[in-house]
Amino acid sequence: MGPETGAEETLVETEVEKDQPLPAGVEAVADGVYLMKGDLKGGMNIYFIRGPEGELVQFDAGTRSMTKKNIKAARALGGLDQVVVSHAHADHRGTAPGLLTPVLCHPDEVGDLRSPASIAGYMDLSELDVTPIAWLYRFLLPWWDGGPVEPAGTVKEGDTIAGFEVIHFPGHAPGLIGLWRESDRVALVSDTVYLVDSARLKPLPEGEASVPHPAWAWDHQKAKESVRKLAELHPVKVLAGHGDPLDMGGEDLHDTLIEASNRF
Ligand SMILES: [Zn+2]
C-alpha cells in the first residue's frame, strides 16, 4: 500500500481558478461547458456547466458505473450546486443517487425518475431490428441504472439554468428537456437527437444525426417534431447525450437536423 496523500480530500476545498487545468477525462466543449464521457465505448455523456454566478450545474447523470469518476470530476471543478437530468432513462440518471446533490427534472419526468423500473413502460425493445441488441438492452438498462431518484424540484421551458434557457423536447420521453444558449447558439439536447446508432451500438458517420429509434419513444411523432423544433433554433453546436459534439465548423445545423428528423 502506498502512502496516504489525501489528495482527493484536498480537491474539495480547492478554489478553482479559471485557467486551472481540467480534471482527467473532462474536456471543454463550449464556453463554460465541460464534457465527461464514460461507460460503454465512452458513449455516455455527462456535462458540467459553469454558470454566470460561478455556480456549477451538472446536466445528465450517465450510468451508475460513472459515479466515482463523476464525483472526482465535480470536486476538481470546485463542487456541484445542482444536477439537472434531461429525462429519467436509466442511462441518464445513473450517478444521480450517489452525488448527494439536489436533482431537478421536468414535471413530466417526475414519475419515471421516482420509479425503480429501469425500462420505461412505453419502451418497446422488440421494435429494434437487431434482435441480439434488443436482448442486450434488457441486461444493459438495469446494469446502467442507479435506481430511483427523488427530485428536489422541477424545471420547465423558459426557466434559466446556468445561463441557458430550458427547452421542452417531448417525444423520446414525455418530459425530455434541453438547454439553449442563444448568444453562441449552443444546445445541450441529450436524447432529442442521437449521434449514435442505438440499434447497432456504434457511432453514426461524422456530421450525421438522427431522431432516436422509435423503440425508445414515448411518442415518436412528437420526437420528430422536437428535432424540428431544435432545427428552428439554428444551433451551431449540438451537444447530445451520446457521442461527440455535432459541430460543422460553426455552420448552422438547421438542415442537418431537419434531415435527422426524417430518419425514422
Ligand atoms: Zn433516453
Side-chain angles (χ1 to χ4, degrees), residues 87 89-92 123 172-173 176 190-191 194 216 242:
H87 62 307
H89 290 173
D91 53 328
H92 294 261
M123 289 178 181
H172 173 72
L176 176 62
S190 187
D191 288 352
Y194 275 177
W216 309 112
H242 310 283

Side-chain angles (χ1 to χ4, degrees), residues 94-234:
T95 71
L99 298 176
L100 307 174
T101 306
V103 178
L104 306 178
C105 68
H106 187 276
D108 296 346
E109 291 299 303
V110 169
D112 281 339
L113 196 60
R114 283 179 177 152
S115 164
S118 302
I119 303 179
Y122 50 78
M123 289 178 181
D124 182 3
L125 299 185
S126 67
E127 281 184 52
L128 290 169
D129 41 1
V130 185
T131 310
I133 300 270
W135 274 104
L136 189 59
Y137 274 117
R138 283 180 231 278
F139 293 99
L140 283 176
L141 286 158
W143 173 252
W144 286 336
D145 198 4
V149 179
E150 183 59 38
T154 59
V155 287
K156 58 178 192 321
E157 179 152 301
D159 289 351
T160 302
I161 289 169
F164 282 75
E165 185 189 339
V166 175
I167 312 267
H168 190 199
F169 291 120
H172 173 72
L176 176 62
I177 52 166
L179 302 177
W180 166 242
R181 190 166 63 191
E182 177 129 39
S183 59
D184 55 358
R185 317 204 79 78
V186 171
L188 284 84
V189 304
S190 187
D191 288 352
T192 306
V193 290
Y194 275 177
L195 308 176
V196 295
D197 180 344
S198 67
R200 284 166 187 82
L201 290 168
K202 61 178 197 185
L204 287 172
E206 212 184 312
E208 267 186 38
S210 166
V211 62
H213 194 284
W216 309 112
W218 165 70
D219 184 324
H220 185 60
Q221 286 312 312
K222 285 196 168 68
K224 288 161 77 82
E225 282 165 33
S226 284
V227 179
R228 290 193 278 270
K229 182 177 180 179
L230 172 62
E232 292 314 321
L233 293 172
H234 296 274

